[in-house]
PDB file of all heavy atoms in Angstrom:
ATOM      1  N   ALA A 134     -51.379  -9.402 -14.639  1.00 97.00           N
ATOM      2  CA  ALA A 134     -50.842 -10.124 -13.489  1.00 97.00           C
ATOM      3  C   ALA A 134     -50.963 -11.629 -13.695  1.00 97.00           C
ATOM      4  O   ALA A 134     -52.058 -12.134 -13.945  1.00 97.00           O
ATOM      5  CB  ALA A 134     -51.584  -9.728 -12.220  1.00 97.00           C
ATOM      6  N   PRO A 135     -49.848 -12.373 -13.600  1.00 97.00           N
ATOM      7  CA  PRO A 135     -49.932 -13.840 -13.619  1.00 97.00           C
ATOM      8  C   PRO A 135     -50.708 -14.335 -12.402  1.00 97.00           C
ATOM      9  O   PRO A 135     -50.892 -13.597 -11.419  1.00 97.00           O
ATOM     10  CB  PRO A 135     -48.468 -14.278 -13.562  1.00 97.00           C
ATOM     11  CG  PRO A 135     -47.671 -13.071 -13.950  1.00 97.00           C
ATOM     12  CD  PRO A 135     -48.473 -11.892 -13.490  1.00 97.00           C
ATOM     13  N   ALA A 136     -51.143 -15.576 -12.450  1.00 97.00           N
ATOM     14  CA  ALA A 136     -52.012 -16.112 -11.398  1.00 97.00           C
ATOM     15  C   ALA A 136     -51.380 -15.989 -10.015  1.00 97.00           C
ATOM     16  O   ALA A 136     -52.038 -15.520  -9.063  1.00 97.00           O
ATOM     17  CB  ALA A 136     -52.348 -17.566 -11.711  1.00 97.00           C
ATOM     18  N   GLU A 137     -50.113 -16.410  -9.868  1.00 97.00           N
ATOM     19  CA  GLU A 137     -49.496 -16.370  -8.547  1.00 97.00           C
ATOM     20  C   GLU A 137     -49.348 -14.938  -8.042  1.00 97.00           C
ATOM     21  O   GLU A 137     -49.622 -14.645  -6.859  1.00 97.00           O
ATOM     22  CB  GLU A 137     -48.113 -17.029  -8.581  1.00 97.00           C
ATOM     23  CG  GLU A 137     -47.437 -17.034  -7.212  1.00 97.00           C
ATOM     24  CD  GLU A 137     -45.982 -17.444  -7.251  1.00 97.00           C
ATOM     25  OE1 GLU A 137     -45.494 -17.840  -8.328  1.00 97.00           O
ATOM     26  OE2 GLU A 137     -45.324 -17.359  -6.190  1.00 97.00           O
ATOM     27  N   ILE A 138     -48.943 -14.029  -8.912  1.00 98.00           N
ATOM     28  CA  ILE A 138     -48.781 -12.625  -8.512  1.00 98.00           C
ATOM     29  C   ILE A 138     -50.134 -12.023  -8.136  1.00 98.00           C
ATOM     30  O   ILE A 138     -50.247 -11.277  -7.153  1.00 98.00           O
ATOM     31  CB  ILE A 138     -48.114 -11.823  -9.646  1.00 98.00           C
ATOM     32  CG1 ILE A 138     -46.706 -12.347  -9.933  1.00 98.00           C
ATOM     33  CG2 ILE A 138     -48.084 -10.336  -9.302  1.00 98.00           C
ATOM     34  CD1 ILE A 138     -45.761 -12.291  -8.746  1.00 98.00           C
ATOM     35  N   ALA A 139     -51.157 -12.347  -8.893  1.00 98.00           N
ATOM     36  CA  ALA A 139     -52.499 -11.846  -8.590  1.00 98.00           C
ATOM     37  C   ALA A 139     -52.944 -12.298  -7.205  1.00 98.00           C
ATOM     38  O   ALA A 139     -53.512 -11.515  -6.426  1.00 98.00           O
ATOM     39  CB  ALA A 139     -53.485 -12.315  -9.654  1.00 98.00           C
ATOM     40  N   THR A 140     -52.686 -13.556  -6.876  1.00 98.00           N
ATOM     41  CA  THR A 140     -53.046 -14.068  -5.552  1.00 98.00           C
ATOM     42  C   THR A 140     -52.303 -13.325  -4.454  1.00 98.00           C
ATOM     43  O   THR A 140     -52.897 -12.939  -3.431  1.00 98.00           O
ATOM     44  CB  THR A 140     -52.725 -15.570  -5.465  1.00 98.00           C
ATOM     45  OG1 THR A 140     -53.502 -16.275  -6.441  1.00 98.00           O
ATOM     46  CG2 THR A 140     -53.035 -16.128  -4.087  1.00 98.00           C
ATOM     47  N   ARG A 141     -51.023 -13.087  -4.677  1.00 98.00           N
ATOM     48  CA  ARG A 141     -50.234 -12.391  -3.662  1.00 98.00           C
ATOM     49  C   ARG A 141     -50.661 -10.936  -3.490  1.00 98.00           C
ATOM     50  O   ARG A 141     -50.563 -10.376  -2.386  1.00 98.00           O
ATOM     51  CB  ARG A 141     -48.743 -12.468  -4.035  1.00 98.00           C
ATOM     52  CG  ARG A 141     -48.154 -13.850  -3.773  1.00 98.00           C
ATOM     53  CD  ARG A 141     -46.914 -14.166  -4.590  1.00 98.00           C
ATOM     54  NE  ARG A 141     -45.818 -13.233  -4.378  1.00 98.00           N
ATOM     55  CZ  ARG A 141     -44.611 -13.398  -4.915  1.00 98.00           C
ATOM     56  NH1 ARG A 141     -44.355 -14.448  -5.689  1.00 98.00           N
ATOM     57  NH2 ARG A 141     -43.653 -12.509  -4.685  1.00 98.00           N
ATOM     58  N   LEU A 142     -51.147 -10.315  -4.558  1.00 98.00           N
ATOM     59  CA  LEU A 142     -51.584  -8.919  -4.495  1.00 98.00           C
ATOM     60  C   LEU A 142     -53.075  -8.777  -4.189  1.00 98.00           C
ATOM     61  O   LEU A 142     -53.568  -7.660  -4.024  1.00 98.00           O
ATOM     62  CB  LEU A 142     -51.261  -8.214  -5.812  1.00 98.00           C
ATOM     63  CG  LEU A 142     -49.786  -7.931  -6.082  1.00 98.00           C
ATOM     64  CD1 LEU A 142     -49.600  -7.368  -7.489  1.00 98.00           C
ATOM     65  CD2 LEU A 142     -49.211  -6.971  -5.041  1.00 98.00           C
ATOM     66  N   GLY A 143     -53.788  -9.890  -4.125  1.00 97.00           N
ATOM     67  CA  GLY A 143     -55.219  -9.830  -3.832  1.00 97.00           C
ATOM     68  C   GLY A 143     -56.035  -9.199  -4.941  1.00 97.00           C
ATOM     69  O   GLY A 143     -57.030  -8.511  -4.678  1.00 97.00           O
ATOM     70  N   ILE A 144     -55.611  -9.409  -6.198  1.00 97.00           N
ATOM     71  CA  ILE A 144     -56.332  -8.862  -7.345  1.00 97.00           C
ATOM     72  C   ILE A 144     -56.705 -10.006  -8.286  1.00 97.00           C
ATOM     73  O   ILE A 144     -56.281 -11.141  -8.090  1.00 97.00           O
ATOM     74  CB  ILE A 144     -55.482  -7.814  -8.104  1.00 97.00           C
ATOM     75  CG1 ILE A 144     -54.189  -8.451  -8.630  1.00 97.00           C
ATOM     76  CG2 ILE A 144     -55.165  -6.624  -7.193  1.00 97.00           C
ATOM     77  CD1 ILE A 144     -53.305  -7.505  -9.435  1.00 97.00           C
ATOM     78  N   ALA A 145     -57.479  -9.697  -9.293  1.00 97.00           N
ATOM     79  CA  ALA A 145     -57.885 -10.719 -10.253  1.00 97.00           C
ATOM     80  C   ALA A 145     -56.743 -11.007 -11.226  1.00 97.00           C
ATOM     81  O   ALA A 145     -55.987 -10.108 -11.597  1.00 97.00           O
ATOM     82  CB  ALA A 145     -59.119 -10.271 -11.011  1.00 97.00           C
ATOM     83  N   GLU A 146     -56.638 -12.258 -11.624  1.00 97.00           N
ATOM     84  CA  GLU A 146     -55.634 -12.625 -12.620  1.00 97.00           C
ATOM     85  C   GLU A 146     -55.851 -11.800 -13.891  1.00 97.00           C
ATOM     86  O   GLU A 146     -56.969 -11.629 -14.349  1.00 97.00           O
ATOM     87  CB  GLU A 146     -55.723 -14.111 -12.940  1.00 97.00           C
ATOM     88  CG  GLU A 146     -54.696 -14.598 -13.934  1.00 97.00           C
ATOM     89  CD  GLU A 146     -54.779 -16.091 -14.202  1.00 97.00           C
ATOM     90  OE1 GLU A 146     -55.585 -16.767 -13.518  1.00 97.00           O
ATOM     91  OE2 GLU A 146     -54.068 -16.582 -15.094  1.00 97.00           O
ATOM     92  N   GLY A 147     -54.781 -11.272 -14.436  1.00 97.00           N
ATOM     93  CA  GLY A 147     -54.870 -10.478 -15.653  1.00 97.00           C
ATOM     94  C   GLY A 147     -55.020  -8.991 -15.431  1.00 97.00           C
ATOM     95  O   GLY A 147     -54.902  -8.205 -16.389  1.00 97.00           O
ATOM     96  N   GLU A 148     -55.265  -8.568 -14.185  1.00 97.00           N
ATOM     97  CA  GLU A 148     -55.358  -7.129 -13.921  1.00 97.00           C
ATOM     98  C   GLU A 148     -54.006  -6.468 -14.202  1.00 97.00           C
ATOM     99  O   GLU A 148     -52.951  -7.066 -13.970  1.00 97.00           O
ATOM    100  CB  GLU A 148     -55.779  -6.861 -12.469  1.00 97.00           C
ATOM    101  CG  GLU A 148     -57.267  -7.026 -12.226  1.00 97.00           C
ATOM    102  CD  GLU A 148     -57.696  -6.378 -10.921  1.00 97.00           C
ATOM    103  OE1 GLU A 148     -57.075  -5.367 -10.521  1.00 97.00           O
ATOM    104  OE2 GLU A 148     -58.651  -6.885 -10.310  1.00 97.00           O
ATOM    105  N   PRO A 149     -54.007  -5.233 -14.706  1.00 98.00           N
ATOM    106  CA  PRO A 149     -52.735  -4.584 -15.074  1.00 98.00           C
ATOM    107  C   PRO A 149     -51.850  -4.280 -13.871  1.00 98.00           C
ATOM    108  O   PRO A 149     -52.347  -3.853 -12.822  1.00 98.00           O
ATOM    109  CB  PRO A 149     -53.177  -3.301 -15.786  1.00 98.00           C
ATOM    110  CG  PRO A 149     -54.561  -3.052 -15.295  1.00 98.00           C
ATOM    111  CD  PRO A 149     -55.175  -4.386 -15.021  1.00 98.00           C
ATOM    112  N   CYS A 150     -50.569  -4.511 -14.056  1.00 98.00           N
ATOM    113  CA  CYS A 150     -49.576  -4.241 -13.018  1.00 98.00           C
ATOM    114  C   CYS A 150     -48.374  -3.541 -13.639  1.00 98.00           C
ATOM    115  O   CYS A 150     -48.173  -3.570 -14.861  1.00 98.00           O
ATOM    116  CB  CYS A 150     -49.090  -5.544 -12.370  1.00 98.00           C
ATOM    117  SG  CYS A 150     -50.276  -6.339 -11.273  1.00 98.00           S
ATOM    118  N   VAL A 151     -47.585  -2.931 -12.788  1.00 97.00           N
ATOM    119  CA  VAL A 151     -46.301  -2.379 -13.187  1.00 97.00           C
ATOM    120  C   VAL A 151     -45.229  -3.343 -12.689  1.00 97.00           C
ATOM    121  O   VAL A 151     -45.114  -3.586 -11.487  1.00 97.00           O
ATOM    122  CB  VAL A 151     -46.074  -0.977 -12.593  1.00 97.00           C
ATOM    123  CG1 VAL A 151     -44.684  -0.456 -12.957  1.00 97.00           C
ATOM    124  CG2 VAL A 151     -47.148  -0.016 -13.087  1.00 97.00           C
TER     125      VAL A 151
END
Side-chain angles (χ1 to χ4, degrees):
E137 181 190 354
I138 297 301
T140 298
R141 285 157 59 174
L142 289 174
I144 60 178
E146 182 178 354
E148 281 196 31
C150 287
V151 177

